[in-house]
Amino acid sequence: MTLITSSLAVTSLSHTSVSSLSSHIRPRLQPPSVFLPSTTANSTVANLSTVISRRASILAFLSFLVFPSPAVASPSDGGDDLERYTDQAEGFTLLIPSSWVKVEKAGATALFQEGKNNIGVVVNPVRLSSLREFGTADFVAHKLLQAEKKKESTKSAELIETRERLGHGNVPVYEIEYLLDSTRGGMKRIFSAAFVSSRKLYLLNIAYSDSQDNPLNGNTRMVIEQVLHSFDTS
């Protein structure tokens, strides 16, 4: 899991149609094959339609988590101090390396850059009250990598690890790590986190160079993981 990846370009946006994404989940949501009175059947179909709509909407927003892959500058030594960044209007907080620069880009709620490495957050309304209503961390990671692999620039995407932790108020937070190799930036390590709170989907994406010539070192990884684990409701 480039630093659960249309949103974060945040130079160019990744678009995945809701109808295409919905097709992946329809087999999971077939109505039960039993006789029901017409009133009950109509209610059941309506409920199932709501579930499909909820999942389709969050699948569409997962495509926003896929960052573009521009050329990457040499990584730092990870010696940055971390400072707290809080967006009270959107209701999230995280730690950011003090030397990274906040920039404005269309589609990003917040974006910070060091060279071409980036840390970005996207917030969008959803119909879910918890990410668990959509699926497990493994399920979200699978859909996330599917979205990556559909990009023309992607050469390969390999899942490294998925985790679930509890944030403030016991909000489930999914963390996903994967390796991405693309024609628009080479090999990158991607750290993503997602949670749903107050009917909003919060997505964090950290894209960092991890090539053979410039592998991600241990100190930098520790800083990145601190950023990842700090992502939470404010």
Side-chain angles (χ1 to χ4, degrees), residues 123-143:
V123 181
N124 279 294
V126 289
R127 298 181 181 181
L128 304 175
S129 59
S130 170
L131 199 52
R132 286 175 179 163
E133 293 179 29
F134 174 60
T136 65
D138 288 340
F139 179 77
V140 172
H142 174 69
K143 294 301 180 184

Side-chain angles (χ1 to χ4, degrees), residues 90 124-126 128-130 171 196-202 233:
E90 292 293 355
N124 279 294
V126 289
L128 304 175
S129 59
S130 170
V171 171
V196 171
S197 178
S198 301
R199 303 286 179 176
K200 293 180 182 180
L201 174 63
Y202 295 82
T233 58

Side-chain angles (χ1 to χ4, degrees), residues 15-234:
H15 297 278
T16 306
S17 68
V18 173
S19 58
S20 174
L21 288 166
S22 298
S23 66
H24 292 295
I25 61 174
R26 287 195 183 106
R28 298 163 56 91
L29 299 169
Q30 293 298 322
S33 55
V34 296
F35 173 79
L36 293 172
S38 59
T39 301
T40 304
N42 290 339
S43 176
T44 301
V45 171
N47 289 339
L48 286 168
S49 297
T50 299
V51 172
I52 292 174
S53 177
R54 287 176 176 176
R55 288 197 168 191
S57 66
I58 201 169
L59 278 169
F61 287 130
L62 276 177
S63 67
F64 297 163
L65 197 57
V66 183
F67 276 81
S69 304
V72 179
S74 298
S76 68
D77 62 3
D80 267 324
D81 291 330
L82 294 173
E83 56 187 29
R84 176 69 57 181
Y85 175 83
T86 300
D87 187 323
Q88 294 290 1
E90 292 293 355
F92 71 89
T93 184
L94 76 163
L95 295 172
I96 296 294
S98 58
S99 66
W100 288 44
V101 179
K102 189 175 188 294
V103 297
E104 300 297 327
K105 292 288 185 180
T109 305
L111 179 65
F112 304 85
Q113 292 183 334
E114 180 238 23
K116 295 299 182 178
N117 301 314
N118 55 62
I119 299 171
V121 177
V122 170
V123 181
N124 279 294
V126 289
R127 298 181 181 181
L128 304 175
S129 59
S130 170
L131 199 52
R132 286 175 179 163
E133 293 179 29
F134 174 60
T136 65
D138 288 340
F139 179 77
V140 172
H142 174 69
K143 294 301 180 184
L144 179 58
L145 263 69
Q146 278 188 330
E148 280 284 23
K149 290 176 180 178
K150 287 180 179 179
K151 294 171 64 178
E152 292 184 2
S153 59
T154 298
K155 296 167 65 176
S156 66
E158 177 187 353
L159 180 65
I160 302 299
E161 187 178 6
T162 61
R163 318 171 195 85
E164 178 180 341
R165 61 176 168 85
L166 293 179
H168 293 159
N170 290 324
V171 171
V173 182
Y174 292 171
E175 296 181 345
I176 303 166
E177 179 183 347
Y178 62 98
L179 278 173
L180 176 68
D181 190 11
S182 78
T183 59
R184 300 182 58 195
M187 188 70 72
K188 285 187 173 184
R189 181 81 56 153
I190 310 298
F191 299 83
S192 299
F195 63 86
V196 171
S197 178
S198 301
R199 303 286 179 176
K200 293 180 182 180
L201 174 63
Y202 295 82
L203 303 172
L204 167 69
N205 207 51
I206 307 171
Y208 215 96
S209 174
D210 191 20
S211 64
Q212 289 185 344
D213 294 335
N214 260 323
L216 183 66
N217 65 57
N219 289 336
T220 301
R221 183 185 177 91
M222 284 193 294
V223 171
I224 291 171
E225 288 185 342
Q226 283 182 275
V227 174
L228 182 71
H229 301 330
S230 71
F231 186 52
D232 210 333
T233 58
S234 60

